[in-house]
């Protein structure tokens, strides 16, 4: 199918009521492309400048287009839709909701505004966004240069699933080492350089401008997973070609929805929706319109939520460090990538809501988490992130357990590493008191074995 989706840029124009000199014949999606303000580099400002979708009856929220299929008034319209002469941006016309759905498309416009990309489309999960983009951009026999520090599922996709099913191969490198990245590139074969803005779970921060330069010189696309740092970092504004998200995390914020997004050029979204050749169209990881409507109501407060996640995580990281704990948080001066993140981050949103604390052994990590959840109610032992409650997990034995021990060690994931997604409910001081109490209880149980060791020594 030919071009069906015009550049879904952030716009300040409201769909209802029409502005005075509005061209009545202009189709709604084209109206969206008319922009009055220059695009803002602040994600909150860009989100607010995106078109506000009203409901069918003037509701302040958009209607949910709960239809799998769409009628046309004339048989010829159907032919034109399939020929690409009509579409969402050409007559506000739709075919079938595995293709474009108006509600899902409206959420995509918000995501495009957030990330500063021309277009975006939302999917049923983060993994489906990632796998579809990689399959679309790389193709059989193609090659990917990927960071060694990746989400476990993405690592498995690149190291096992795609080689087995698509003949795609990947070379994992230290993405900090520009020479190593350049050396891993295979001219003509490497189609994608793939990193996470802030890696899971080690919180290493990618040098996006450098990687964008290397990818461009190699004729490859830089694809960045920005799941850990929405609002805080805008990879596309720093040179990334495509930004992918697990919307299940901070963007949803409710720990109740699995969803994903692909943000990039309109040409990419269109190619992924091609009836004959598009990964999203043919693999079909479609987002439900009801889910899109829920998420669209959460995006406006994402910047506020990220500010508070960051503020709490920054404060806790500093206090834990003062207690003598080994803390990994990119907002701390001693983090290897502190300066890099400071240079890349959008001002005013802090350094993100994720922190890691290394308890040395899995046993001590487990004991601390037990008290944090079951004795003092500081947080919940659960994977995932971006919830209003603090979530904690021991990465080595959970989300990164599919990596082999050697890869885990290379990625810097020690057995006692607790990853925390710092929540924002309750007061900061209430939560900190809970942490201190759980830590004291854990230490009391440390004491007998420490004493036993001491006795043996003398
Ligand atoms: C959770 C996560 C994914 C996978 O997303 P799903 O929505 O669970 O499919 C990908 N990347 C990162 C960094 C994640 O944290």
């Amino acid at each position: 199918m030919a071009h069906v989706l015009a550049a879904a840029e952030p716009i300040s124009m409201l769909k209802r009521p029409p502005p005075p000199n509005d061209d009545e014949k202009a189709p709604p999606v084209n109206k969206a492309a008319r922009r009055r303000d220059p695009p803002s580099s602040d994600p909150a400002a860009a989100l607010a400048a995106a078109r506000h979708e009203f409901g069918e009856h003037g509701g302040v929220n958009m209607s949910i287009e709960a239809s799998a299929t769409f009628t046309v008034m004339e048989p010829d319209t159907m032919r034109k839709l399939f020929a690409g002469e009509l579409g969402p941006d050409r007559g506000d016309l739709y075919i079938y909701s595995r293709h474009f759905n108006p509600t899902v498309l409206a959420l995509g416009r918000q995501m495009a505004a957030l990330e500063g990309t021309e277009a975006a489309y939302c999917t049923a999960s983060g993994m489906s966004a990632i796998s579809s983009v990689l399959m679309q951009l790389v193709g059989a026999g193609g090659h990917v240069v990927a960071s060694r520090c990746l989400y476990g599922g993405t690592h498995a996709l690149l190291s096992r699933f795609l080689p087995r099913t698509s003949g795609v191969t990947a070379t994992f490198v230290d993405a900090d080492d520009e020479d190593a990245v350049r050396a891993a590139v295979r001219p003509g074969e490497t189609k994608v350089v793939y990193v996470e803005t802030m890696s899971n779970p080690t919180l290493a921060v990618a040098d996006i401008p450098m990687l964008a330069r290397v990818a461009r010189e190699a004729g490859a696309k830089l694809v960045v997973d920005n799941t850990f740092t929405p609002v805080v970092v805008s990879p596309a504004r720093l040179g990334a070609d495509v930004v992918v998200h697990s919307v299940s995390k901070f963007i949803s914020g409710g720990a109740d929805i699995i969803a994903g997004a692909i943000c990039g050029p309109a040409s990419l979204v269109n190619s992924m929706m091609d009836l004959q050749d598009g990964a999203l169209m043919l693999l079909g990881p479609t987002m439900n319109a009801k889910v899109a409507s829920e998420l669209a109501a959460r995006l406006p407060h994402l910047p506020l939520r990220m500010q508070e996640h960051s503020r709490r995580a920054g404060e806790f990281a500093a206090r834990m460090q003062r207690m003598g704990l080994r803390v990994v948080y990119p907002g701390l001066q001693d983090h290897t990538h502190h300066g890099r993140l400071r240079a890349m981050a959008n001002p005013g949103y802090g350094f993100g809501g994720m922190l890691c604390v290394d308890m040395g052994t899995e046993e001590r990590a487990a004991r601390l988490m037990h008290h944090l959840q079951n004795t003092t109610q500081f947080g919940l032992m659960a994977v995932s992130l971006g919830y209003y409650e603090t979530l904690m997990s021991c990465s080595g034995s959970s989300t990164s357990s599919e990596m082999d021990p050697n890869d885990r060690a290379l990625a810097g994931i020690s057995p006692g590493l607790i990853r925390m997604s710092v929540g924002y409910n309750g007061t900061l001081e209430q939560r900190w008191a809970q942490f201190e109490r759980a830590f004291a209880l854990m230490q009391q149980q440390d004491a007998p074995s420490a004493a036993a060791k001491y006795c043996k020594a003398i």
Side-chain angles (χ1 to χ4, degrees):
M1 174 176 274
H3 195 78
V4 286
L5 180 66
E9 299 157 38
I11 358 77
S12 57
M13 189 181 291
L14 303 182
K15 193 177 176 188
R16 278 175 59 100
N21 57 359
D22 197 38
D23 176 358
E24 280 303 317
K25 274 173 263 155
V29 182
N30 278 349
K31 270 194 228 163
R34 241 179 285 158
R35 194 168 55 201
R36 282 169 180 177
D37 303 324
S40 175
S41 61
D42 181 300
L47 257 175
R51 181 173 74 191
H52 188 103
E53 296 287 340
F54 291 90
E56 203 182 343
H57 306 286
V60 294
N61 291 305
M62 68 178 164
S63 301
I64 303 173
E65 184 49 82
S67 295
T69 190
F70 298 82
T71 57
V72 291
M73 299 312 286
E74 304 296 335
D76 193 45
T77 307
M78 191 69 86
R79 187 193 58 75
K80 287 179 176 158
L81 272 167
F82 274 82
E85 292 162 26
L86 294 172
D89 63 329
R90 297 166 186 211
D92 195 21
L93 291 164
Y94 295 83
I95 302 175
Y96 183 62
S97 280
R98 172 158 46 79
H99 191 235
F100 291 111
N101 170 285
T103 316
V104 181
L105 201 49
L107 178 66
R109 274 198 292 272
Q110 283 179 291
M111 287 300 303
L114 172 73
E115 287 296 356
T117 55
E118 198 180 15
Y121 207 58
C122 296
T123 59
S125 67
M127 281 316 298
S128 65
I130 294 165
S131 53
S132 303
V133 158
L134 288 172
M135 290 178 105
Q136 192 74 27
L137 290 176
V138 182
H143 178 248
V144 177
V145 175
S147 165
R148 198 173 270 156
C149 303
L150 290 181
Y151 176 69
T154 309
H155 191 274
L157 180 76
L158 282 166
S159 61
R160 307 180 73 118
F161 185 86
L162 286 177
R164 178 170 66 78
T165 57
S166 314
V168 168
T169 53
T171 305
F172 295 94
V173 295
D174 173 359
D176 254 7
D177 182 345
E178 182 169 347
D179 293 336
V181 179
R182 285 184 191 281
V185 167
R186 300 183 193 159
E189 248 177 82
T190 303
K191 305 290 187 212
V192 164
V193 175
Y194 188 97
V195 296
E196 293 170 3
T197 310
M198 193 182 280
S199 74
N200 182 4
T202 47
L203 312 186
V205 180
D207 184 347
I208 294 169
M210 178 274 280
L211 292 163
R213 214 167 41 241
V214 173
R216 201 177 320 116
E217 285 167 24
K221 301 287 182 207
L222 176 63
V223 180
V224 178
D225 179 336
N226 200 31
T227 301
F228 274 35
T229 47
V231 186
V232 175
V233 178
S234 304
R237 294 182 174 99
L238 298 164
D241 297 288
V242 182
V243 180
V244 288
H245 274 286
S246 167
V247 172
S248 325
K249 314 293 170 58
F250 285 106
I251 296 175
S252 153
D256 56 342
I257 287 174
I258 298 292
I262 300 160
C263 311
S267 59
L268 173 70
V269 174
N270 279 321
S271 73
M272 295 189 75
M273 277 301 181
D274 189 281
L275 296 177
Q276 304 295 331
D277 200 29
L280 286 181
M281 186 62 198
L282 299 173
L283 298 172
T286 311
M287 177 182 278
N288 187 295
K290 291 163 194 165
V291 168
S293 151
E294 284 235 0
L295 290 168
R298 300 177 192 191
L299 264 164
H301 48 68
L302 176 67
L304 286 174
R305 288 188 275 119
M306 291 312 296
Q307 271 173 340
E308 192 58 11
H309 280 298
S310 288
R311 187 177 78 91
R312 302 259 181 135
E315 191 59 38
F316 288 174
R319 292 184 188 191
M320 286 175 191
Q321 195 171 51
R322 285 201 290 275
M323 285 169 78
L325 290 173
R326 276 188 12 228
V327 189
V328 181
Y329 183 66
L332 294 173
Q333 297 283 346
D334 70 350
H335 189 282
T336 324
H337 296 148
H338 176 71
R340 176 182 296 169
L341 181 56
R342 181 178 284 282
M344 292 196 319
N346 294 309
Y349 300 101
F351 296 89
M354 302 299 295
L355 71 82
C356 289
V357 50
D358 191 347
M359 300 308 294
T361 65
E362 193 176 348
E363 190 272 327
R364 291 185 86 229
R367 201 140 34 89
L368 178 61
M369 287 196 294
H370 163 78
H371 286 301
L372 286 171
Q373 176 176 282
N374 302 325
T375 315
T376 72
Q377 278 87 48
F378 171 82
L380 306 173
M381 271 184 272
V383 298
S384 197
L385 44 132
Y387 193 36
Y388 57 77
E389 290 277 3
T390 294
L391 301 180
M392 23 184 213
S393 59
C394 213
S395 299
S397 49
S398 61
T399 47
S400 297
S401 59
E402 58 266 65
M403 293 170 78
D404 75 42
N406 199 28
D407 286 343
R408 262 205 307 274
L410 278 172
I413 306 168
S414 87
L417 194 75
I418 301 177
R419 184 187 78 180
M420 282 187 193
S421 162
V422 178
Y424 52 76
N425 69 341
T427 70
L428 191 150
E429 296 306 335
Q430 169 196 28
R431 295 307 194 175
W432 180 249
Q434 291 170 333
F435 182 85
E436 281 188 317
R437 206 149 59 80
F439 184 72
L441 285 167
M442 188 215 70
Q443 270 189 318
Q444 278 168 22
Q445 290 169 328
D446 258 354
S449 62
K453 257 188 233 152
Y454 179 73
C455 289
K456 257 189 236 157
I458 54 172

